[in-house]
Amino acid sequence: MKNNKLFKVFSVSLSLLGLLVLFSSFIPKDTIEKPKTKQPNIIYILADDLGIGDLSIYNENSKIQTPHLDQMAKEGMRFTDAHTSSAVCTPTRYGILTGRYNWRTPLKEFVTWGNSPSLIQNNRLTVAQLLKNQGYKTANIGKWHLGLNWSMKNNSPEFNHYSERSDRLNFKDIDYSQPLKFGPLDMGFDYSFMISASLNMPPYVYLENDKATMLPTDKTERNRKIYPFSSWIKGDIADDFKHEEVLPKIVDKSISFIKENANKDQPFFMYIPLPSPHNPVLPIAPWKGQSEIGSPYADFVMMIDDLMGTIFETLKAQGIDDNTLVVFTSDNGFATTNDLKTLRQKKHSPSYVYSGYKGSYLEGGHRVPFLVKWPGKIKPNSISVATICTTDFMATCADIVDYEFKDNEAEDSFSMLPLLTNEGTYLRDATIHHDKYGVFAIRKGDWKLVMAPNSGIMASGKTKIHKDVHSEALLYNLKEDIKEKNNVADQYPEKVKELKTILIKQIRDGRSTPGKIQENDAIPGEWPQAAFAFEN
């Protein structure tokens, strides 16, 4: 009797199961929800003025050891031909966040300042806004240096964005008690903790979520006798601002954000632009005096490496390392103001085998370390020799979250995802370089063309640079002449013509990616560095 009851229950269960299978066959497959795979967390760490030869993974003769960054390279991918979009910092930062070449803006040379209006306009999509729209929690923690629209006192003039005629505000007119009129929170960041510009540029205040953490009540002085390579411009300073504490504080804030947002349903994106090793060079204990060559700059690089190690360990401790993509790079090459004389004496080459330093169109000005780690997606200890640009980050993120750009978005960004995963094709064909004076260069394959090297004008508007350069164009074959010593423009006129034609087209089209032609931002004056592109 008992077995009969069990048999009946079993028979009914089989019948119900059969009905479920039958009905499920009539349900359209596209209406069945599949479990969603969580998007990866994304962290972009940008060092400031770090040379490619300063990392021991790149430089076999380095006198500075960087074990944590070396380990990151071994766990992921190291790029050997990575370039910033400019040889100075503000323009590169613009390119990273917008996927657009900086010289398409009114900033044709040099950088913004701590009291400059915003270079990013309010109608420009940023990588932060892109990812936020796709469900990411976003954070900016570090050095901004892209201009900010400060609140002003007594109806003082305000500017909507940076231009040649409104490149700086009067410090005395800034109202630090009020929040920014336009800043990172308006560009897609949910959280922001930052300094406005380089660590040697006033105002010396922390800005958290677009408002000063403490009002400046004093002015700081520069003192080269105490800090020979660590001076800063005189300016407003708040009581909670200590120059030597800025780097550790930025790392602490970054670690706190990771801990607060780890293992939540919502992925996060962190943009961490470090203020170092840009001067002031301020290593603190326990790193001060620890380098084998007795250089404060070397100590500072070791300090950065160690602090990066704490970030990497935090990701592992929180159990999110396997689902986090981390990028580490620099905004341009090594700055000669950081005690180059001592480094040379100690046989350390911050530009490795390349000529030039920060600000230069030569390779040492813009060829930078570029490491990417993404466990399970990137093969460990892999090396890419592809020529990439820091503007490519935005398209890479768009590719990860399956976002398709409009014509007026990320006009100079190509996805690196095919390089990272070894699936698909990386589409960048040529890369445009830009030096601190606005001189153009273009790279395609082994060839590099520098156009009109004497078109760059000093800030005075009178003094020309590169007085030793007489040619209208410089052509280098980097495969045969990595130090860029031999100008072969006269021997290869067809190659000059080819590269110049590509450069002119990409300048005039307002984009280097496929798509509808766009306008470069309007400027009130002339653009002498690009005059060759608009000749009849």
Side-chain angles (χ1 to χ4, degrees):
M1 187 72 179
K2 187 175 181 180
N3 289 337
N4 286 339
K5 287 184 178 180
L6 287 173
F7 177 75
K8 288 179 180 179
V9 171
F10 182 66
S11 298
V12 171
S13 299
L14 283 176
S15 300
L16 289 173
L17 180 61
L19 287 171
L20 286 172
V21 171
L22 178 65
F23 283 124
S24 67
S25 66
F26 292 103
I27 301 174
K29 290 182 179 180
D30 57 0
T31 64
I32 301 174
E33 289 191 11
K34 298 178 181 179
K36 294 182 178 179
T37 302
K38 183 183 176 183
Q39 297 286 13
N41 304 306
I42 301 173
I43 301 177
Y44 195 100
I45 305 172
L46 184 68
D48 195 358
D49 293 359
L50 182 72
I52 189 170
D54 288 329
L55 297 192
S56 43
I57 193 70
Y58 280 94
N59 184 354
E60 66 276 10
N61 296 314
S62 177
K63 297 300 186 291
I64 306 173
Q65 297 305 306
T66 52
H68 299 287
L69 291 169
D70 291 359
Q71 182 61 31
M72 178 185 172
K74 293 172 184 176
E75 293 178 5
M77 179 174 287
R78 169 166 53 105
F79 287 82
T80 60
D81 201 359
H83 298 263
T84 54
S85 56
S86 171
V88 286
C89 54
T90 293
T92 292
R93 291 157 199 273
Y94 177 88
I96 291 168
L97 291 183
T98 67
R100 184 178 188 233
Y101 283 134
N102 53 274
W103 41 264
R104 300 195 191 281
T105 76
L107 184 67
K108 304 301 187 187
E109 58 185 54
F110 295 105
V111 298
T112 60
W113 300 83
N115 55 334
S116 293
S118 177
L119 183 62
I120 298 177
Q121 298 189 25
N122 57 11
N123 60 350
R124 172 61 52 182
L125 180 72
T126 67
V127 66
Q129 189 65 60
L130 183 161
L131 291 173
K132 182 176 180 177
N133 292 346
Q134 299 299 312
Y136 275 72
K137 177 76 173 290
T138 57
N140 159 62
I141 303 175
K143 165 189 163 177
W144 185 244
H145 210 175
L146 280 163
L148 297 164
N149 289 5
W150 296 90
S151 292
M152 307 300 287
K153 300 175 184 175
N154 304 321
N155 298 316
S156 299
E158 295 180 356
F159 302 102
N160 291 327
H161 59 84
Y162 179 96
S163 76
E164 290 179 346
R165 293 180 180 175
S166 60
D167 66 338
R168 295 189 219 182
L169 307 168
N170 290 324
F171 281 111
K172 63 182 180 60
D173 294 328
I174 295 176
D175 189 348
Y176 296 105
S177 68
Q178 298 300 313
L180 299 170
K181 290 293 185 70
F182 186 72
L185 298 190
D186 303 294
M187 302 178 200
F189 288 104
D190 294 307
Y191 174 75
S192 177
F193 181 87
M194 65 180 185
I195 58 176
S196 61
S198 295
L199 194 52
N200 65 340
M201 294 180 178
Y204 303 112
V205 297
Y206 291 114
L207 291 161
E208 188 163 26
N209 290 334
D210 283 357
K211 194 169 182 181
T213 59
M214 189 174 288
L215 303 184
T217 56
D218 201 357
K219 288 191 181 295
T220 184
E221 302 281 348
R222 66 162 64 191
N223 191 332
R224 288 190 180 275
K225 292 182 179 179
I226 298 177
Y227 302 111
F229 304 104
S230 303
S231 63
W232 45 81
I233 300 169
K234 178 180 179 179
D236 297 334
I237 188 168
D239 287 346
D240 64 345
F241 195 100
K242 302 290 185 293
H243 284 77
E244 63 273 15
E245 295 176 357
V246 174
L247 174 59
K249 183 165 286 192
I250 286 170
V251 173
D252 286 346
K253 288 284 185 180
S254 299
I255 289 173
S256 294
F257 184 89
I258 291 171
K259 289 180 177 179
E260 290 168 8
N261 292 278
N263 297 307
K264 291 187 176 180
D265 291 337
Q266 183 180 25
F268 63 78
F269 162 58
M270 297 180 69
Y271 171 57
I272 310 176
L274 307 176
S276 54
H278 189 293
N279 71 305
V281 177
L282 295 170
I284 59 175
W287 302 279
K288 188 175 181 179
Q290 294 304 302
S291 64
E292 66 177 70
I293 58 175
S295 164
Y297 177 79
D299 295 342
F300 212 22
V301 173
M302 291 171 62
M303 178 177 171
I304 293 168
D305 178 73
D306 213 28
L307 290 174
M308 294 306 96
T310 64
I311 291 178
F312 303 152
E313 285 302 316
T314 301
L315 294 174
K316 292 177 180 178
Q318 295 298 313
I320 59 173
D321 181 62
D322 286 346
N323 196 43
T324 300
L325 184 157
V326 183
V327 177
F328 180 90
T329 186
S330 180
D331 63 352
N332 46 246
F334 170 82
T336 57
T337 53
N338 287 340
D339 198 11
L340 178 60
K341 181 179 179 181
T342 297
L343 296 179
R344 280 177 169 170
Q345 289 174 345
K346 301 295 184 178
K347 307 299 183 184
H348 176 76
S349 177
S351 292
Y352 187 40
V353 297
Y354 309 106
S355 297
Y357 302 98
K358 174 183 178 178
S360 174
Y361 54 66
L362 297 172
E363 291 294 288
H366 49 80
R367 190 184 288 231
V368 292
F370 199 98
L371 310 175
V372 188
K373 182 167 73 77
W374 190 5
K377 295 289 185 178
I378 297 176
K379 184 180 178 181
N381 208 26
S382 53
I383 298 174
S384 174
V385 297
T387 307
I388 64 168
C389 182
T390 44
T391 57
D392 293 336
F393 177 63
M394 190 165 178
T396 306
C397 290
D399 205 358
I400 290 172
V401 300
D402 199 24
Y403 175 80
E404 187 172 342
F405 290 119
K406 298 182 178 68
D407 279 322
N408 63 344
E409 298 171 347
E411 295 94 330
D412 302 297
S413 190
F414 295 84
S415 175
M416 298 182 295
L417 195 59
L419 298 173
L420 302 178
T421 61
N422 201 27
E423 297 177 0
T425 304
Y426 176 58
L427 298 177
R428 175 176 289 280
D429 183 52
T431 304
I432 296 178
H433 308 310
H434 208 230
D435 83 351
K436 71 176 179 180
Y437 298 115
V439 172
F440 282 93
I442 184 168
R443 167 81 180 283
K444 183 180 179 183
D446 294 331
W447 297 94
K448 177 178 175 181
L449 176 71
V450 182
M451 273 307 303
N454 279 321
S455 64
I457 309 298
M458 293 286 283
S460 65
K462 298 178 181 178
T463 307
K464 293 286 183 98
I465 60 168
H466 309 306
K467 293 180 179 178
D468 58 331
V469 176
H470 303 290
S471 176
E472 180 62 16
L474 305 175
L475 181 68
Y476 300 112
N477 185 318
L478 296 182
K479 184 177 182 180
E480 300 176 357
D481 179 26
I482 196 60
K483 289 188 176 295
E484 300 170 275
K485 300 296 184 183
N486 304 309
N487 177 18
V488 294
D490 291 341
Q491 292 98 299
Y492 298 93
E494 290 303 314
K495 182 59 67 174
V496 171
K497 181 179 179 181
E498 175 195 345
L499 294 179
K500 183 178 178 181
T501 299
I502 297 172
L503 177 58
I504 290 173
K505 178 175 172 52
Q506 293 191 4
I507 290 174
R508 297 180 67 165
D509 284 358
R511 68 181 320 121
S512 55
T513 54
K516 186 178 179 181
I517 290 176
Q518 298 295 303
E519 294 289 335
N520 296 317
D521 295 352
I523 57 172
E526 296 181 350
W527 189 6
Q529 300 95 328
F532 65 87
F534 299 97
E535 296 170 346
N536 292 330

